[in-house]
Amino acid sequence: MKVDLNSDLGESFGRYKLGMDEEVMKYITSANVACGWHAGDPSVMRKTVTLAKENGVEVGAHPGYPDLMGFGRRYMKITREEARNYILYQIGALYAFVKAEGLTLQHVKPHGALYNALVKDEELARGVLEGIADFDKKLIFVGLSLSKPLEIAEEMGLKVAHEVFADRAYNPDGTLVPRSKEGAVIHDKELIAERVISMVKDGGVKAINGEWIELKADTICVHGDNPKALEITAYIRKRLEEEGIKIVPMKEVIR
C-alpha cells in the first residue's frame, strides 16, 4: 500500500514570506508550486523548484484565479476559454523554471476557490482540463477525491490523482466544509493521523455529521504554513509509515 504526500508551496511574494517551505519539503513527495497568480513570483518560483530538486521532491503546477490580493480564495466568474488559457499560461510559466533546473513537471493541482469551483461547474472543469491537455497529456490532474472533474479528465485521456485532505472536515457529499464554518479545520494531530490512515486503508472517513463517506486516497494534502502544522505533517508521515504504508511520489502511486 502506498500514497503520496503533497503540499502547496512557493506562496511567498516579494518581501512577504508565507509558509515554511524549507522544512515541509523534508516530509513530502510532491510539491504544488504557485504560479504567480494567486501567490508566488518568478524568484520564489525558481527558489521553490530548486528546493524541491535538492530534496528529491516531484514538482507540480498550482495555478489559480488571477487574485493576488485575495490569495485565490475568492470565486471569480470566468469562461471556459478563459480558464483554458489561464491554466496553460501558468503551467508554462512554472515549466520554464522546471526545465531550467533539469526536472520534469509531474502534475497540475488547481488552487483554492478554483479547485472547489471545478467540482460543481462542468464547463469550468473542462476549460481547466483542456488547458492541461494543451500543454501535456502526460501530466497528472489532481482533484478532489471521487469528484466529477476526475471522471471528465479520464474521459479526455488524462491521468488523475484522487486527493484527500489531512486536516479538513468533509461534508456528507464528499466536498470540503468551507473554512468559514466551525470545525472546518482539524487541529488535533492524533485525530488527523487516524483519519488519514482510515482514508488510505479503509477507503473513507466520517463526515462532519458523523456519516461515513467513501474516498479514494492517491495523494494526501498536508499543510506546513505554521510550526504546529509542520509538526502535524511530520507526525502524519511517521504514523503512515508505522502502518506499513509507503510514501512515494504521485507518479508511482497511479502508474
Side-chain angles (χ1 to χ4, degrees), residues 30-194:
S30 296
N32 317 309
V33 183
C35 301
W37 277 27
H38 77 275
D41 62 34
S43 296
V44 171
M45 289 163 74
R46 181 151 204 170
K47 180 180 178 181
T48 309
V49 171
T50 301
L51 188 62
K53 181 180 181 180
E54 291 170 351
N55 285 270
V57 172
E58 295 291 330
V59 176
H62 195 39
Y65 285 126
D67 182 24
L68 273 176
M69 188 169 288
F71 196 65
R73 287 185 174 162
R74 300 181 293 191
Y75 174 74
M76 299 177 71
K77 182 65 176 176
I78 61 175
T79 67
R80 176 172 172 172
E81 186 63 20
E82 286 172 330
R84 181 176 188 169
N85 293 330
Y86 287 0
I87 295 300
L88 182 59
Y89 181 96
Q90 292 179 77
I91 295 173
L94 181 67
Y95 178 70
F97 298 107
V98 171
K99 184 178 180 181
E101 292 298 329
L103 302 178
T104 57
L105 199 62
Q106 175 187 242
H107 66 278
V108 178
K109 173 188 168 181
H111 166 80
L114 179 60
Y115 180 99
N116 292 321
L118 301 184
V119 177
K120 297 182 178 179
D121 188 335
E122 186 170 321
E123 277 294 289
L124 182 64
R126 289 190 181 277
V128 167
L129 294 168
E130 285 163 353
I132 296 171
D134 285 343
F135 187 85
D136 188 348
K137 274 200 166 187
K138 294 190 292 292
L139 289 172
I140 300 167
F141 168 66
V142 181
L144 186 66
S145 181
L146 300 180
S147 64
K148 183 66 175 179
L150 293 166
E151 294 179 24
I152 299 171
E154 289 184 318
E155 291 170 4
M156 294 174 58
L158 291 169
K159 296 179 180 180
V160 303
H162 292 253
E163 182 178 42
V164 296
F165 290 79
D167 61 353
R168 294 293 301 277
Y170 281 83
N171 291 310
D173 65 356
T175 59
L176 298 176
V177 175
R179 288 176 179 268
S180 58
K181 292 189 176 181
E182 186 177 351
V185 180
I186 302 165
H187 301 285
D188 184 319
K189 72 177 184 180
E190 292 290 347
L191 177 58
I192 291 172
E194 290 301 324

Side-chain angles (χ1 to χ4, degrees), residues 7-27:
S7 190
D8 305 339
L9 303 176
E11 294 182 323
S12 297
F13 181 79
R15 64 180 292 180
Y16 300 100
K17 188 176 189 302
L18 180 66
M20 302 175 67
D21 292 7
E22 293 84 357
E23 294 302 317
V24 75
M25 199 74 83
K26 299 172 184 177
Y27 300 103

Side-chain angles (χ1 to χ4, degrees), residues 203-240:
V205 74
K206 285 186 178 180
I208 196 164
N209 66 348
E211 182 180 332
W212 177 264
I213 56 171
E214 292 186 358
L215 294 171
K216 187 176 189 298
D218 295 322
T219 182
I220 302 166
C221 181
V222 294
H223 294 109
D225 53 2
N226 63 67
K228 186 173 182 182
L230 184 61
E231 176 189 340
I232 291 171
T233 300
Y235 187 68
I236 289 171
R237 176 155 189 158
K238 175 177 175 289
R239 286 292 307 278
L240 286 169

